[in-house]
Amino acid sequence: MEQEHHRLAGSFSIQDSIQSLTSSLGSQNTLLSSCTVSPAAERLRHILREEDEPTPTIFTEMDTLQHEGGEMEWKESARWVKFEEKVEEGGERWSKPHVSTLSLHSLFELRTCLQTGCILLDLEGYSLPQIVDDIIEKQVQEGLIAPEIREKVSFVLLRKHRHQTKKPIHRSLADIGKSSPSNPSQCRSMNDISVTPSTDQLKNKFMKKIPRDAEASNVLIGEVDFLDKPFVAFVRLAQAATLGGLTEVPVPTRFLFVLLGPIGKAKSYNEIGRAMATLMVDDLFSDVAYKARDREDLIAGIDEFLDEVIVLPPGEWDPKIRIEPPKKLPSAEMRKSVFSLNELGQPNGNAGGGAASTEDEDMPAPHELGEELKFTGRFCGGLWLDIKRKVPWLFSDFYDGFHIQSISAVLFIYLGCITNAITFGGLLGDATDNYQGVMESFLGTALAGAVFCLFSGQPLIILSSTGPILIFEKLLYEFSINNEIDYMEIRLWIGLHSCLQCLILVATDASYIIKYMTRFTEEGFSSLISFIFISDALKKMMSTFNYYPINRDFKPDYITSYRCDCQAPDEVAFNTSSPLGLENISDYSMFNFTALDWSQLTKKECLRFGGSLVGKSCKYVPDLAMLSFLLFFGTYSMTISLKKFKSSRYFPTKCRGLIADFSIIISILVFCALDYVMSLETPKLHVPTQIKPTRPDRGWIVMPLGKNPWWMCVASFVPALLVTILIFMDQQITAVIVNRKENKLKKGCGYHLDLFWVGILMAVCSFMGLPWYVAATVISIAHIDSLKMESESSAPGEQPQFLGVREQRFTGILVFVLTGVSVFLAPVLQYIPMPVLYGVFLYMGVASLHGIQFWERMKLYFMPAKHQPDFVFLRHVPLRRVHLFTLVQIICLAVLWILKSTVAAIIFPVMILGLMVVRKMLDLIFSQHDLAWLDDILPEKDKKKKEDEKTKKEKKKAKVDEHNNSDEELKCPKDSLPSVKIPLEPMNPSVRPACCPNPSNADPSA
């Protein structure tokens, strides 16, 4: 009867705690009650609103008491940094990190443990024996344990700890090279404790996964035969202390949770321990644990955790399945923000993707370009602010580039730049009769790029020549020839006028207009440039099939009839003016051609001597086109695969990171080696070998006067205006894309400073007869991607966090210096096949589409609704409206594509301005709510929207205050609240539940 009485009393006490908890939680989620805020939320609001320093990350280890052959020891069973890892006894290894799945019963029992157990906050303790003595003394004082079992409890708590550091005999390749502890199966005895970490702890490679300022939380769970009720203690040390071998890694311990109980309920104790460990690594509860002033604060932390718990129905999932960690976790700051004054009275949880609980979730974050584009109203005010913003970072812009990642970025961008310089130089040479050719393209790229990266406001931007500039140069040259005007001189004056116009735009803060370029314009422009890169790469690749066609006439069965002979020409055909002679033969009349054995000559010798090739196999060409295609597509596909290798399961993290960083270089080297082994004459990279103008009759300096009429100097202002618009739009849109907030740039940008140096370089290049340069969108995006940084010490199971971009000037300067000295690297560069570089171009075009919402929305046309990704804009905007918005962008892109493919490409910059006009007209078709999710709100619309939201919030606040005042006289009797009865199985039929010591002996004031 007595046992039954204890069992029922314990069950009732737990149900009473559940009822009181349910009442407190239920009162928080209703506005009809006068109690709009639960006591727990009110208490936590006062704790968490204090502006203290951020609390350290907590590493939690759970040890269970093991009985082996009459001996006892503590054995590590699980650990948490962010997610749970269990010790798999059979496999002698750690499990994969997974989301902890807890039973609701264990959370309620843990709550009862903290209600009735011993709580020691800010205990002065520097060794485990001292801490154990203080815990036992507190338990004895409160009457929770009998004095005669003091020594037994102390003996158990000071047993040695064995950690899961033992490695299996057969190690994987990924673990080769990692050191193993010399004595992995045992750690030092806790009876001989020392504050100095052991050698095994210091060598533990797991420390790399733990932040440097982390502190430990130790959970000790066990069952003993000398207790008749649970022994519970929660300890927070005043200062974190290293307690020897208590923890598997040398991390100082700050928290200690001990649960010892009678024999028979090990599984229940283990679940309570897991619940405690999971709470300690929860961002919100860990803050509460650090700042708690008494027992009630800890209880309030558990109540708030329970308020956010999501229950999975037991019949609809398998508890044995381990839930993989999500790729993205909600921000801890967002969870803490619910305790601000504006959020009181609203439920924290938003389970199941229900309606948003705050106003901020109704609309996305506003699009802000930063203070760099604020109109100062002063002469050169924006330029001066840009200089002041960049000067403090001058030295770090250089030493931040000294990293192994920079090597990969330099080689990648260098190959892209020289390929672009050769391609553009060749086209420019054809368009201007070699007044500007490959040599000028190389020298101009090196000069303009190096100066810009050295002095600009955003050195991550890469300068290059663009298609519209090529069209302008071609039209200008044709105009000059038709009107007998000196091309280089009028081009010089156009460049000088354009430079002056750019400086005027800088002085008047004209870059302010960029704030009216929303995502609609940015994505339309960047998508067009990306598609141009992809199209050009494919066109260049397909052109090899024209130069090296596949021999479809070759029949293997007729191979015996295929031959090619060199037939000697008639002697009368020879003369001294024949261009077919060898270079070392000065007089063909003195050479005896009849003495030649024409059948032994090679193809080149036969043609050189004036012979002819006769036979069916004379026109045979190896399948160079097919090999070129393999090199092209192989480079692209291998680069894509190696970039994704960073998230694969093979090899250690650092190895995967290096492979991903050098993916492009590895791909280029592999397929260059394949081309070398095949020994076929695929088209190779040809670089000029001498620094001299492409056209012999021009020099490196262009004279401004002397060949054209004087009025041409003034008239060139008109075409210069078109060039200025092109330069301004191309430069600033690329700058906006590079400076996106998604890139997390910290050193600021300089739109005015960038445009200033682009204008100056326009004048310099015009004087030297070099091409004009502006920001290259795709190459700049590739530069950004190659310098992205991720967190190195991420918790097991947690995805590496994107930290930002390695902002520096070193890589850009080195790229253009290498471009300038490429003339001297020609013997090495001549081994690089052009199809390999075309593959790099294709990769750059495809990679620049990543993260563009327009591209993601285009793919939705081909996806059934049930298979569409869970994009946030699909939650707020109807699909038909999304498709309509995307269709408008596709039409605009098609118009731009048609324009750039014709002579009308000269008005391309004006059409970019046309995109801004189209975006303005969309305000008549779409609501501001839809545009906020699909695009960005225009500045004046954004201002109006903020005023409307402010008015709406004021009305809502007034309505809530009125409702609260009308309910002041209402009461909340506890009897009116329905009681929630949850049948709970007691932890031991013969004793009280796990965490319910005898209430008669408990000190309610503790």
Side-chain angles (χ1 to χ4, degrees):
M1 289 294 294
E2 184 178 356
Q3 292 179 353
E4 181 67 12
H5 171 75
H6 282 299
R7 184 181 68 82
L8 294 176
S11 179
F12 289 154
S13 64
I14 294 178
Q15 290 188 11
D16 291 340
S17 67
I18 295 174
Q19 291 177 16
S20 62
L21 171 64
T22 307
S23 301
S24 65
L25 295 180
S27 63
Q28 183 183 359
N29 295 332
T30 177
L31 292 176
L32 299 178
S33 169
S34 63
C35 307
T36 57
V37 182
S38 69
E42 181 67 26
R43 179 178 288 270
L44 294 186
R45 182 170 68 87
H46 290 291
I47 297 175
L48 299 180
R49 72 181 297 181
E50 299 172 1
E51 297 181 356
D52 297 332
E53 295 182 358
T55 56
T57 303
I58 292 184
F59 164 70
T60 302
E61 176 182 326
M62 189 175 83
D63 294 357
T64 55
L65 188 62
Q66 303 291 322
H67 301 263
E68 297 180 2
E71 296 291 333
M72 289 185 295
E73 67 174 0
W74 294 97
K75 186 175 184 303
E76 186 176 12
S77 59
R79 67 185 181 192
W80 289 255
V81 178
K82 195 74 173 179
F83 302 99
E84 181 178 5
E85 294 178 272
K86 292 182 178 179
V87 174
E88 296 177 337
E89 299 289 350
E92 296 181 340
R93 65 170 190 173
W94 286 104
S95 69
K96 288 184 61 177
H98 56 276
V99 179
S100 297
T101 51
L102 308 174
S103 67
L104 200 59
H105 184 278
S106 65
L107 288 170
F108 286 138
E109 293 222 316
L110 173 62
R111 186 178 188 275
T112 308
C113 285
L114 295 182
Q115 279 183 324
T116 59
C118 175
I119 306 295
L120 295 173
L121 301 179
D122 296 329
L123 176 67
E124 297 289 343
Y126 302 97
S127 66
L128 189 62
Q130 174 196 347
I131 295 172
V132 169
D133 290 343
D134 291 342
I135 294 174
I136 296 175
E137 183 64 27
K138 182 71 171 178
Q139 293 268 2
V140 173
Q141 290 177 0
E142 296 180 354
L144 300 179
I145 62 171
E148 54 267 18
I149 64 172
R150 177 198 300 263
E151 296 299 329
K152 293 183 179 180
V153 174
S154 178
F155 178 81
V156 171
L157 294 180
L158 294 179
R159 290 303 84 206
K160 65 183 180 183
H161 286 245
R162 179 158 57 93
H163 303 295
Q164 181 63 21
T165 54
K166 186 175 181 180
K167 295 286 184 179
I169 297 176
H170 302 287
R171 305 174 69 189
S172 65
L173 292 175
D175 290 329
I176 292 178
K178 294 183 179 180
S179 59
S180 299
S182 57
N183 187 15
S185 61
Q186 295 184 0
C187 290
R188 57 196 305 172
S189 171
M190 300 308 298
N191 293 315
D192 187 18
I193 199 65
S194 172
V195 295
T196 304
S198 66
T199 304
D200 296 342
Q201 289 174 284
L202 295 174
K203 290 182 178 180
N204 197 330
K205 300 296 183 181
F206 189 70
M207 275 298 295
K208 297 180 180 179
K209 298 291 186 181
I210 303 176
R212 295 190 178 185
D213 62 341
E215 295 178 349
S217 168
N218 294 91
V219 178
L220 306 180
I221 305 298
E223 52 181 5
V224 292
D225 56 2
F226 56 82
L227 288 176
D228 57 358
K229 60 183 178 182
F231 174 96
V232 180
F234 178 86
V235 179
R236 182 183 70 197
L237 300 180
Q239 295 293 333
T242 303
L243 304 180
L246 180 63
T247 311
E248 69 165 308
V249 287
V251 175
T253 296
R254 187 63 176 265
F255 298 95
L256 190 66
F257 177 77
V258 180
L259 172 58
L260 298 177
I263 301 292
K265 299 299 293 182
K267 182 177 180 181
S268 184
Y269 299 151
N270 186 73
E271 289 302 311
I272 295 174
R274 289 183 60 247
M276 186 72 236
T278 303
L279 277 169
M280 291 306 300
V281 295
D282 179 70
D283 294 323
L284 186 59
F285 185 85
S286 64
D287 277 5
V288 174
Y290 270 102
K291 300 175 182 179
R293 299 160 297 188
D294 51 29
R295 182 195 308 271
E296 295 305 320
D297 288 345
L298 296 174
I299 301 300
I302 295 183
D303 291 349
E304 203 59 38
F305 181 86
L306 285 167
D307 188 30
E308 297 186 70
V309 163
I310 299 173
V311 179
L312 297 177
E316 299 181 12
W317 76 294
D318 186 359
K320 296 180 181 179
I321 296 177
R322 291 171 178 167
I323 302 176
E324 293 284 338
K327 292 184 178 181
K328 187 176 181 180
L329 294 173
S331 171
E333 298 302 323
M334 292 296 295
R335 293 178 58 199
K336 296 174 186 177
S337 67
V338 300
F339 299 108
S340 64
L341 290 173
N342 295 331
E343 304 298 334
L344 290 178
Q346 298 183 8
N348 304 341
N350 191 17
S357 60
T358 65
E359 284 293 324
D360 293 337
E361 294 177 357
D362 292 338
M363 299 289 285
H367 177 66
E368 297 180 358
L369 292 176
E371 62 178 6
E372 297 87 355
L373 290 176
K374 288 184 178 179
F375 184 73
T376 62
R378 302 189 305 272
F379 179 77
C380 293
L383 177 63
W384 175 244
L385 292 177
D386 284 350
I387 295 174
K388 289 176 62 177
R389 190 180 302 111
K390 299 304 294 186
V391 165
W393 303 102
L394 186 59
F395 293 104
S396 66
D397 280 346
F398 289 94
Y399 62 72
D400 284 350
F402 290 94
H403 191 272
I404 191 171
Q405 187 182 20
S406 300
I407 300 176
S408 170
V410 166
L411 295 177
F412 171 35
I413 302 303
Y414 165 68
L415 290 174
C417 284
I418 62 171
T419 305
N420 195 48
I422 290 174
T423 304
F424 185 83
L427 296 174
L428 195 58
D430 295 338
T432 63
D433 196 17
N434 284 331
Y435 274 103
Q436 298 177 76
V438 176
M439 189 64 245
E440 288 78 9
S441 181
F442 262 84
L443 187 59
T445 300
L447 174 64
V451 172
F452 184 84
C453 288
L454 187 60
F455 299 109
S456 68
Q458 183 50 270
L460 296 176
I461 294 176
I462 300 296
L463 295 190
S464 179
S465 297
T466 60
I469 289 180
L470 175 62
I471 298 295
F472 180 85
E473 297 274 16
K474 181 179 180 180
L475 295 177
L476 179 63
Y477 180 76
E478 292 176 353
F479 174 81
S480 302
I481 295 300
N482 296 334
N483 295 273
E484 298 181 353
I485 299 173
D486 186 76
Y487 163 70
M488 298 301 290
E489 185 176 316
I490 190 175
R491 182 181 180 276
L492 167 62
W493 281 103
I494 292 175
L496 293 177
H497 281 296
S498 182
C499 170
L500 177 63
Q501 292 165 4
C502 286
L503 296 182
I504 293 175
L505 293 176
V506 171
T508 57
D509 291 350
S511 297
Y512 172 76
I513 193 177
I514 299 300
K515 70 182 298 182
Y516 293 96
M517 293 185 183
T518 63
R519 190 192 305 165
F520 179 87
T521 306
E522 294 173 27
E523 293 187 343
F525 179 79
S526 59
S527 298
L528 175 66
I529 303 300
S530 299
F531 287 138
I532 289 175
F533 258 69
I534 296 172
S535 173
D536 289 348
L538 294 175
K539 285 181 180 179
K540 290 181 175 65
M541 186 60 241
M542 297 306 296
S543 66
T544 58
F545 285 86
N546 297 327
Y547 291 106
Y548 307 102
I550 297 176
N551 189 7
R552 297 183 177 87
D553 297 329
F554 182 82
K555 306 295 182 184
D557 195 38
Y558 296 96
I559 192 172
T560 54
S561 63
Y562 291 158
R563 58 179 300 173
C564 182
D565 297 326
C566 180
Q567 183 176 350
D570 297 335
E571 292 185 9
V572 295
F574 294 109
N575 57 71
T576 57
S577 63
S578 174
L580 300 174
L582 294 171
E583 288 76 8
N584 59 348
I585 300 177
S586 59
D587 190 354
Y588 287 97
S589 61
M590 299 177 61
F591 190 83
N592 187 8
F593 285 95
T594 58
L596 283 177
D597 185 358
W598 292 89
S599 62
Q600 300 299 320
L601 297 181
T602 63
K603 175 182 177 181
K604 290 183 179 180
E605 293 172 343
C606 178
L607 296 176
R608 188 172 294 170
F609 283 106
S612 58
L613 300 174
V614 180
K616 293 184 178 181
S617 64
C618 291
K619 295 183 179 181
Y620 172 73
V621 178
D623 288 335
L624 294 181
M626 185 58 65
L627 178 60
S628 298
F629 179 78
L630 293 176
L631 296 176
F632 164 76
F633 187 73
T635 303
Y636 164 75
S637 58
M638 186 174 184
T639 302
I640 290 289
S641 300
L642 292 181
K643 273 292 182 183
K644 296 179 180 179
F645 192 75
K646 195 168 190 176
S647 58
S648 69
R649 303 175 185 269
Y650 303 100
F651 302 111
T653 305
K654 283 190 175 181
C655 182
R656 296 198 307 267
L658 284 175
I659 292 175
D661 290 339
F662 287 86
S663 58
I664 299 170
I665 308 305
I666 294 173
S667 302
I668 291 174
L669 292 177
V670 166
F671 286 96
C672 284
L674 175 62
D675 177 76
Y676 181 79
V677 170
M678 299 300 293
S679 300
L680 294 178
E681 295 183 2
T682 52
K684 298 296 193 297
L685 177 64
H686 294 292
V687 180
T689 57
Q690 293 181 335
I691 301 179
K692 63 179 182 179
T694 305
R695 191 180 176 98
D697 60 347
R698 59 149 290 188
W700 285 118
I701 301 297
V702 178
M703 301 307 296
L705 299 172
K707 297 182 180 180
N708 293 334
W710 66 268
W711 56 268
M712 295 294 296
C713 304
V714 180
S716 57
F717 179 87
V718 178
L721 189 61
L722 191 61
V723 175
T724 302
I725 296 175
L726 169 62
I727 294 295
F728 179 83
M729 299 300 296
D730 212 344
Q731 174 68 37
Q732 301 297 48
I733 292 179
T734 302
V736 169
I737 294 172
V738 169
N739 295 321
R740 282 174 177 169
K741 62 181 180 180
E742 291 85 357
N743 292 329
K744 297 184 178 180
L745 302 182
K746 300 177 181 178
K747 296 184 179 181
C749 49
Y751 294 93
H752 312 282
L753 186 58
D754 289 346
L755 188 60
F756 172 82
W757 281 108
V758 168
I760 295 297
L761 290 170
M762 283 278 293
V764 174
C765 291
S766 299
F767 267 111
M768 297 185 65
L770 304 177
W772 295 324
Y773 293 92
V774 71
T777 306
V778 171
I779 300 181
S780 299
I781 294 175
H783 192 205
I784 289 282
D785 290 338
S786 63
L787 292 172
K788 286 185 175 180
M789 300 182 296
E790 292 182 340
S791 57
E792 295 181 358
S793 60
S794 56
E798 184 182 19
Q799 296 292 329
Q801 300 298 312
F802 172 60
L803 302 179
V805 179
R806 201 173 301 280
E807 301 176 64
Q808 35 72 48
R809 302 178 185 270
F810 179 76
T811 55
I813 294 174
L814 193 55
V815 162
F816 293 111
V817 169
L818 287 176
T819 303
V821 301
S822 295
V823 173
F824 308 104
L825 300 177
V828 178
L829 297 177
Q830 66 180 356
Y831 290 102
I832 302 179
M834 289 303 295
V836 170
L837 298 181
Y838 297 155
V840 174
F841 261 52
L842 179 63
Y843 167 76
M844 293 171 66
V846 173
S848 61
L849 290 174
H850 178 70
I852 296 180
Q853 191 196 87
F854 171 48
W855 177 243
E856 299 297 337
R857 284 188 273 106
M858 284 180 63
K859 294 188 287 186
L860 292 179
Y861 280 112
F862 309 99
M863 297 182 188
K866 64 179 180 180
H867 295 302
Q868 292 174 353
D870 187 21
F871 294 129
V872 65
F873 57 83
L874 291 178
R875 299 183 181 183
H876 300 271
V877 184
L879 185 60
R880 64 182 183 278
R881 306 292 290 175
V882 174
H883 286 335
L884 177 60
F885 187 84
T886 308
L887 181 62
V888 173
Q889 284 188 288
I890 292 175
I891 294 174
C892 293
L893 181 63
V895 172
L896 290 175
W897 184 272
I898 294 172
L899 283 177
K900 77 93 187 174
S901 304
T902 62
V903 181
I906 193 99
I907 65 171
F908 177 78
V910 180
M911 295 308 300
I912 297 296
L913 291 174
L915 286 179
M916 300 173 61
V917 176
V918 174
R919 169 59 185 85
K920 181 69 175 177
M921 295 173 61
L922 290 180
D923 286 340
L924 305 176
I925 303 175
F926 295 90
S927 66
Q928 294 302 306
H929 174 272
D930 292 350
L931 290 174
W933 286 104
L934 298 175
D935 188 34
D936 299 312
I937 302 296
L938 292 175
E940 65 274 10
K941 296 288 184 179
D942 187 39
K943 182 178 180 181
K944 183 177 183 299
K945 182 177 78 66
K946 289 181 179 179
E947 293 177 354
D948 293 342
E949 287 182 353
K950 184 178 179 180
T951 304
K952 183 178 178 182
K953 285 185 177 181
E954 291 177 353
K955 290 181 178 179
K956 183 175 180 180
K957 184 178 179 180
K959 184 177 179 181
V960 172
D961 292 342
E962 180 182 356
H963 178 77
N964 290 339
N965 293 333
S966 64
D967 286 348
E968 280 182 354
E969 299 179 357
L970 297 179
K971 297 181 180 180
C972 299
K974 293 184 180 179
D975 297 339
S976 64
L977 294 174
S979 106
V980 180
K981 296 183 186 263
I982 302 178
L984 300 174
E985 180 186 355
M987 304 184 69
N988 193 325
S990 61
V991 296
R992 296 178 56 80
C995 302
C996 295
N998 192 345
S1000 63
N1001 296 330
D1003 185 4
S1005 62

